[in-house]
Amino acid sequence: MFYHVKELQFNARVSKPDPKFARLLLEQFGGSNGELKAAMQYFVQAFSCKNPYPDKYDLLMDIATEEFSHLEIVGATIQMLLSGVNGELKNAAEESEIMQLLGGQAAKEGFIHEAMVNPHFGVLTGGGPALTDSNGIPWTAAYVTANGDLTVDLRSNIASESRAKIVYEYLMKFTDDPYVKDTLSFLMTREIAHYQMFEAALNTIQPNFPPGVLQGEPRYSNLYYNMSTGMDARGPWNDGTSTQLGETWQFIEDPLEHVMSSNGLVDLKPTGTDRTAAKVAKLDKSMSQIRSEEVKSATQEIDMQSSTYTKDGGIIEEPKKKK
Amino acid sequence: MFYHVKELQFNARVSKPDPKFARLLLEQFGGSNGELKAAMQYFVQAFSCKNPYPDKYDLLMDIATEEFSHLEIVGATIQMLLSGVNGELKNAAEESEIMQLLGGQAAKEGFIHEAMVNPHFGVLTGGGPALTDSNGIPWTAAYVTANGDLTVDLRSNIASESRAKIVYEYLMKFTDDPYVKDTLSFLMTREIAHYQMFEAALNTIQPNFPPGVLQGEPRYSNLYYNMSTGMDARGPWNDGTSTQLGETWQFIEDPLEHVMSSNGLVDLKPTGTDRTAAKVAKLDKSMSQIRSEEVKSATQEIDMQSSTYTKDGGIIEEPKKKK
Amino acid sequence: MFYHVKELQFNARVSKPDPKFARLLLEQFGGSNGELKAAMQYFVQAFSCKNPYPDKYDLLMDIATEEFSHLEIVGATIQMLLSGVNGELKNAAEESEIMQLLGGQAAKEGFIHEAMVNPHFGVLTGGGPALTDSNGIPWTAAYVTANGDLTVDLRSNIASESRAKIVYEYLMKFTDDPYVKDTLSFLMTREIAHYQMFEAALNTIQPNFPPGVLQGEPRYSNLYYNMSTGMDARGPWNDGTSTQLGETWQFIEDPLEHVMSSNGLVDLKPTGTDRTAAKVAKLDKSMSQIRSEEVKSATQEIDMQSSTYTKDGGIIEEPKKKK
Amino acid sequence: MFYHVKELQFNARVSKPDPKFARLLLEQFGGSNGELKAAMQYFVQAFSCKNPYPDKYDLLMDIATEEFSHLEIVGATIQMLLSGVNGELKNAAEESEIMQLLGGQAAKEGFIHEAMVNPHFGVLTGGGPALTDSNGIPWTAAYVTANGDLTVDLRSNIASESRAKIVYEYLMKFTDDPYVKDTLSFLMTREIAHYQMFEAALNTIQPNFPPGVLQGEPRYSNLYYNMSTGMDARGPWNDGTSTQLGETWQFIEDPLEHVMSSNGLVDLKPTGTDRTAAKVAKLDKSMSQIRSEEVKSATQEIDMQSSTYTKDGGIIEEPKKKK
Amino acid sequence: MFYHVKELQFNARVSKPDPKFARLLLEQFGGSNGELKAAMQYFVQAFSCKNPYPDKYDLLMDIATEEFSHLEIVGATIQMLLSGVNGELKNAAEESEIMQLLGGQAAKEGFIHEAMVNPHFGVLTGGGPALTDSNGIPWTAAYVTANGDLTVDLRSNIASESRAKIVYEYLMKFTDDPYVKDTLSFLMTREIAHYQMFEAALNTIQPNFPPGVLQGEPRYSNLYYNMSTGMDARGPWNDGTSTQLGETWQFIEDPLEHVMSSNGLVDLKPTGTDRTAAKVAKLDKSMSQIRSEEVKSATQEIDMQSSTYTKDGGIIEEPKKKK
Amino acid sequence: MFYHVKELQFNARVSKPDPKFARLLLEQFGGSNGELKAAMQYFVQAFSCKNPYPDKYDLLMDIATEEFSHLEIVGATIQMLLSGVNGELKNAAEESEIMQLLGGQAAKEGFIHEAMVNPHFGVLTGGGPALTDSNGIPWTAAYVTANGDLTVDLRSNIASESRAKIVYEYLMKFTDDPYVKDTLSFLMTREIAHYQMFEAALNTIQPNFPPGVLQGEPRYSNLYYNMSTGMDARGPWNDGTSTQLGETWQFIEDPLEHVMSSNGLVDLKPTGTDRTAAKVAKLDKSMSQIRSEEVKSATQEIDMQSSTYTKDGGIIEEPKKKK
């Protein structure tokens, strides 16, 4: 259950209206790396670990709830940056006086120009925030990734926090309102904090590589295909040993020859690794058992209940038992 | 600022897994009339009335926060309905034993068939909810309407609650799990409650018709165009007086003749109304003044602050004053 | 079947080209509350009431057809506002002369700037309207709501007309072309007229609350949850009796305590209402019978035909009879 | 202006309900090649040729209006195929009796299964059509192409009619209802008729190749790059003369060598063509003049009017003259 | 398998940065008629003709691969046009010095203004291309059409090339950088070349009209419905004989009368054609046999393999044989 | 420039058609974590590092090109899994014989049922792959993240590879075709290899935390807000020192009290860290200089060229020099 208190988590202030920056800031309200994306991503991920991993559930809900609170900060800042637009629009009948006040046609043009910054502010939202990015693209759940595996989801979150951080960094180049900068700085810093929280949580799960349960095929896990020719570079990503499995990178200079000579790779033998098909199969089996058991042991299959309320009471009919 | 407590607002329970119904229930999780849509709609609308209409702001945030809490209930129910899927997927290596247990090829087919109910459960979310509707369409902010005018927004909300209500009503036809029915009944009833709250709030704003500020043109406001011919029907929508303005409906039997004879309507004279261009202009002007003043008087234009914290402190540089 | 006559329903005129306003006006061509949305919404809703409610079918098709005619007016106006762009683009080879005529680089910049107003006009549509909103977002059927229940659909339509009205009101602030204002005024006024038509139609359906068939649970229908704390407000939406059911609002000051003490609400007893579970069940049953009968009695299940043509003739094979 | 008559353009009939085929048929209601796409495409294209090419405007509006009428036929057929669903959903309270009637749990499963065919029919539209494709994807204006040039738009239409035709052909494999087949056959045949209309219209515009105004660069217009190696094929598309310009195809066996030896193509000389830069420039210039003049001569730049109504009358203020 | 060489197919150059034109050019990077659309369309179409029509497969993959190479050219050009933006954004701390250099507040405004050209460049992509159109709309596969029938797909491609050509033509009006114009001219010309390749390929398939397999109904294939009245035009699209079937156009002056008098068309007799139901049925049958056989004879149904590698080797378990 | 060879990178084989698994496999063709997403993400990221970081450009293009090759493998596999569908659809006239062959109505139902697996296969793509996910949702560039900063982009890629890996892992549970499993195993393993390549590349950039240029505010970087109460958990993410900055986590038990007492956080003093505002400012400055210089020094601002061709030649007009 969620609660709301009317004070913001941060004392967001604005020196004066700035509809242009309001448009840019939409990127963190309804944009692909914005606060709603973060909040919804952690919120959705949390459901599948509530029972098997209650500590990670707590972590995800703590951060999800903070991101909702940040969404509110961003929205309130946009509203302040648009101060005056709504009142002006309500003055629906008074065109001629505006014209006089503003100095005629040129001023009118200017007024329109301001609104053009984001037409939605002028003709759709009436001078308030909208759940879109800085180009007016409606927020979509296509931004959210939740794959039901913590070794994957936590990595998705580390990357998401990185992207949210850089967008705040970019945004700071486009305002010189010190109040707004303070708010952006707070929000940017929190992404750095969350990054480290997710990283620490990932470290507590061992082994966490490869993500998920299954190991990779030893024949294919250390090949580097030189698919783009010209100005080829060598570095620790195709030379030496790989970061996690510690295998020796095999640099395939000529991928076509390699593929043709190995009958489409199916005749390849493992090289540069001491992992074998047998070892992999054994590891797959034991990891499957562990991970599957973690979930199954924590999950009921009949008469499930999500909260800790007493089980009985309140029901009108008797539940059907599982056959 | 938002808070979260781990108990649900309603004691959601499930008798046994039902992935098919989980798919249907997605309609209220990430669907066009679902809980996220409602929560985000009221949350976004709230920004523009925080200062001028703090009582409506309170109402919108009370209900928005409850809808977030309902989103959590729906998600938790979907998770329970999918119980077992995630554990099974984690058992990544053990295909052959499953085959034995389930009774061979046919059972495998059945297992696949269950998953087909919504492929995302099987191959994307790992057996958890996704922010999509029942067909897997990602949630989009295109569902959300917020137009910066309470006489419009509250009507949008009344309609939104009506749609959410009927979807819960439809959903109840597709489950016979008494626990799930109880939860659906609670959620459906809350839409009925919210409907009446928004209606009461709308009634406190007078006049509230037409929505917004401007009156309609008296020449065009009581015309009924018979654009679809054959089996024409008459009723209070084209016969007698109109519901709000009390004008006499003018039934235009032959729209083409009407339009051609009035020079594309521009030569039309008002009939069936005692509203006049002069009255309308006067009303437009006074309404503009009132509504515009309500907003402007409540909205600062420099050194704005969204919360009630003390104004000074914390800022590194001096804010630029508005010129 | 639809017909078209080449004269517009309204004598739409434009004083001079204005590509900036053309961009804004797209909001009512392919935008979320525009004419296409309205036309398609009523058109789609109409199918399910053709047989059971022919009078409402007539109403929906009359207005849907008028909205198509308005879509045409808006499109024609955008085309006129873009006058000159298409011809200029066709002059594909003559760059240098344009440069001379317009006065060199600065003019070129200006020309580009005009086009920037909406890049689509310049590089995609060749100077014509596009089915997008003012930010270029393609129209999506996600804007359309049709739920197969008139007490819901008519409320959706009342809200849709309200939103369309306010967008026209906003638009009028951004043009001072008197011809365009006249057209906008006509279109805005028609939304006011349609609003009252839908309201009158809803009033003829009794009872129409709650929307749909099922009543709400008496235990949950009059609770007001104070989910957002600080600056709490009281009003007819949480104090006194509810607008439709006439129950006494129960203001839940502390939702957490309320939920915990009632075992997640399932142990709650109804208060502030004389509705009971028994009465509700009875009403649900009778309403189900009435509404279901209305539809079933008007709907054939074999050898259906949508028009009033004679039944036989024209078919090559014999239809299979329903078993 | 549009009109509607309640009789369909074709006597659409259905032998018995078939929710599965109703789902498939959605492809032509709200799908990427469906009737709405066709109707909207021609309707939007029509605006830009109303003045300069009134004969093509007439053609486009004739077909657009017919496609709207076909959209209605498809929707009415879907509604008939879903006959019974809406009435059943209205019977909201009567679960137990349905269970008895249908024969218990198994029948219930069956009922749910039918609904699963498209969850939207069961839980969103209440048993009516939706503006989506067969997978429930909302219709989007991204399907519509209108580029403000008839030599392009007519080709787009020829292709659109081809796609619509094949989808009807595919659909016929999935029903054996002779009534439905008759309707599909009518609709499919109309696409064949429209195809030929657009082709005839394109032929009246001469020259119409290349589409648009500008000629292609003689150095690059007859090169065939063999970018995909292995099993290379030769045919009239890379051997002999090109279809429209009559140039000799230059087959570039080894694109990399060709590009490197020509300094990234910029040092290439034209071969296999008698077109020259000078001829192209001349043609570009004359075509620009012709096409640009066609549009400009037909388009006013002040006091524009879309219909043939008398110019004066009805306006409240004097229009601003163009400076 | 794809390869990449780091040299571009064309020596793309840019005289100086131009973020405004970079925005426009996005239309051909991630826009509806851009290079990605073309590449993906031909790539996806190619799968279904690899076995039955290897020559067309070769053609499609040759062009698809060239379009990928063009996508790279467009992206590289956008990157050059945005030169400086990324470096400036990296200079994240140095606001004050920028202010000095650029001359204070006005320059800052200018800098912001430049960025406003497309907010994504400033706050999302860090000064690089994005897979969107010129309005920031993300590329969507809704642009791609692939219908599994070459007589349809090749027509779709002819139209796609036409649209891509006109967009390049329009773009050339908005830059006067001779390097950029050269690149655009190359890319535009290639669309003209591809157009003729697809046309030649379509001509090798005979008969190719109607697209697909089935013939049209003789009763409906030559009717022209005058659905839009006023300023009616006659031309070879409704007068004389049709382009492909050579039937005589039947101009239906009054469609309503025509439909009503023919019992919703089902009582119509064929006129103006010597095609008959019997001939059509025979042709349908023979075409079905031919086209179906072409595909079936080229497609294995067990132990399929996509490449020409030797069949055995590499597999761990024995494949299950088809029953 | 891209090349294509017709042999696949892996010898993909299929035992027998399986349209159901074809639908599931679409998730890696046109789905949110599929091969197209990966290919396009690395391809788009590559543009901005071509000049400043040619080694990372090589890495990104090597992997992007391999992912395109994987996209081809997935598409070819889907095509084989759908073997027979296209041929059957081409047999457009022969319904009755199919009925006989398949055994009448039941078989027809079965055939339809198979198609229902994904309606697009039956009625849109003609039995080929489509650029959608397993629910038919068109691929969208909203899946792609490219933010113009390698420390961010490489982390996005590590997460993307993790998600792609788990989707392949899930997919393997839904097929028992050993050929298909082999292909899936190869593809899954390559994600593991790519993961380690990106990780190694990230490690060569030092410092790489925080991502981007700017450091976080010392006052806010180590706070952990306990926003979700009940069943609170402690772990290395809120207890002890943070993973990267080595600060001491400050667990904020009661966020509301914390925020209110610090005047909305602006009066907070740093604790648990030895980072100071001064140190941060200095670091921000030096990092800005380094990162900005890396880009600027590698990027020309006039007469830019993307390839290594000789600079002169081929241009028709003289380029305008930068002023």
Side-chain angles (χ1 to χ4, degrees), chain C residues 272-299:
Chain C
T273 179
D274 55 5
R275 295 166 63 242
T276 64
K279 282 184 193 171
V280 160
K282 200 174 155 189
L283 205 44
D284 280 354
K285 200 163 177 174
S286 68
M287 282 294 293
S288 288
Q289 207 165 355
I290 293 165
R291 290 287 155 81
S292 162
E293 203 47 42
E294 283 173 1
V295 176
K296 287 178 178 172
S297 68
T299 317

Side-chain angles (χ1 to χ4, degrees), chain C residues 7-8 13 308-309 311, chain D residues 7-8 13 308-309 311:
Chain C
E7 299 298 326
L8 297 176
R13 291 172 288 183
T308 59
Y309 301 116
K311 277 242 161 178
Chain D
E7 298 299 326
L8 297 175
R13 291 171 290 183
T308 59
Y309 301 116
K311 276 241 162 179

Side-chain angles (χ1 to χ4, degrees), chain A residues 1 3 5-8 13-15 58 72 83 93-94 139 141 285 288 300 303-304 308-309 311, chain B residues 1 3 5-8 13-15 58 72 83 93-94 139 141 285 288 300 303-304 308-309 311:
Chain A
M1 180 165 35
Y3 279 81
V5 292
K6 292 199 180 63
E7 299 298 327
L8 298 176
R13 290 172 290 183
V14 160
S15 301
D58 181 50
E72 192 186 15
S83 191
E94 298 301 320
W139 191 87
K285 199 163 177 175
S288 287
Q300 274 176 284
D303 297 354
M304 291 163 274
T308 59
Y309 301 116
K311 278 240 160 179
Chain B
M1 182 166 32
Y3 278 80
V5 292
K6 292 199 179 63
E7 299 299 326
L8 297 175
R13 290 172 289 184
V14 160
S15 300
D58 181 50
E72 192 185 16
S83 190
E94 299 301 319
W139 192 87
K285 199 164 178 174
S288 287
Q300 278 177 282
D303 297 354
M304 291 162 274
T308 59
Y309 300 116
K311 278 240 162 178

Side-chain angles (χ1 to χ4, degrees), chain B residues 69 76 99 101 131 140 146 152 174 177 185 205 207 217 224 247 262 269 279 293 296 304 322:
Chain B
S69 305
M99 296 297 280
L101 262 166
L131 266 183
T140 163
V152 171
F174 295 97
D177 183 327
S185 176
I205 306 170
E217 253 277 12
Y224 185 95
E247 299 173 318
S262 61
K269 298 281 170 275
K279 281 185 195 172
E293 204 47 44
K296 287 178 176 172
M304 291 162 274
K322 191 191 169 193

Side-chain angles (χ1 to χ4, degrees), chain F residues 98-304:
Chain F
I98 299 174
M99 296 298 279
Q100 274 184 312
L101 263 164
L102 297 182
Q105 180 69 21
K108 176 86 178 182
E109 287 286 312
F111 186 72
I112 293 175
H113 184 78
E114 285 301 307
M116 292 305 284
V117 153
N118 179 358
H120 285 177
F121 292 153
V123 301
L124 189 61
T125 70
L131 267 183
T132 69
D133 75 358
S134 58
N135 268 328
I137 320 291
W139 191 88
T140 163
Y143 301 146
V144 168
T145 59
N147 297 91
D149 187 289
L150 272 172
T151 63
V152 171
D153 282 354
L154 292 169
R155 283 177 170 101
S156 290
N157 299 355
I158 288 168
S160 295
E161 295 289 345
S162 302
R163 292 197 296 273
K165 193 268 180 184
I166 199 81
V167 172
Y168 278 121
E169 183 172 313
Y170 289 158
L171 278 166
M172 274 198 264
K173 295 286 286 186
F174 296 98
T175 180
D176 47 18
D177 184 326
Y179 287 142
V180 175
K181 275 186 176 265
D182 253 27
T183 304
L184 297 177
S185 176
F186 165 72
L187 293 167
M188 183 188 81
T189 301
R190 295 306 296 156
E191 315 298 11
I192 296 171
H194 296 160
Y195 179 110
Q196 295 177 92
M197 295 172 198
F198 289 127
E199 189 174 46
L202 180 60
N203 290 342
T204 66
I205 306 170
Q206 291 300 340
N208 65 33
F209 191 87
V213 172
L214 297 179
Q215 308 303 306
E217 252 276 12
R219 294 183 294 170
Y220 308 133
S221 54
N222 61 356
L223 308 179
Y224 185 96
Y225 284 98
N226 178 34
M227 305 291 271
S228 170
T229 59
M231 302 185 289
D232 295 330
R234 303 300 297 266
W237 51 84
N238 59 20
D239 203 14
T241 56
S242 63
T243 53
Q244 298 268 356
L245 300 178
E247 299 173 319
T248 307
W249 287 118
Q250 309 294 310
F251 185 84
I252 314 293
E253 179 78 40
D254 181 347
L256 181 56
E257 185 277 332
H258 181 258
V259 166
M260 296 308 289
S261 70
S262 61
N263 198 22
L265 298 185
V266 297
D267 294 345
L268 209 66
K269 299 279 169 279
T271 42
T273 180
D274 54 5
R275 297 166 61 244
T276 62
K279 282 185 194 171
V280 159
K282 198 175 155 192
L283 206 43
D284 280 355
K285 200 164 177 175
S286 67
M287 283 294 293
S288 288
Q289 207 165 356
I290 293 165
R291 289 288 155 81
S292 162
E293 204 47 42
E294 284 173 1
V295 176
K296 287 178 178 172
S297 68
T299 316
Q300 277 176 281
E301 298 226 352
I302 59 164
D303 297 352
M304 291 163 272

Side-chain angles (χ1 to χ4, degrees), chain D residues 179-191:
Chain D
Y179 286 142
V180 174
K181 275 185 175 265
D182 252 28
T183 304
L184 296 176
S185 177
F186 165 72
L187 293 167
M188 184 188 81
T189 301
R190 295 306 296 155
E191 316 297 12

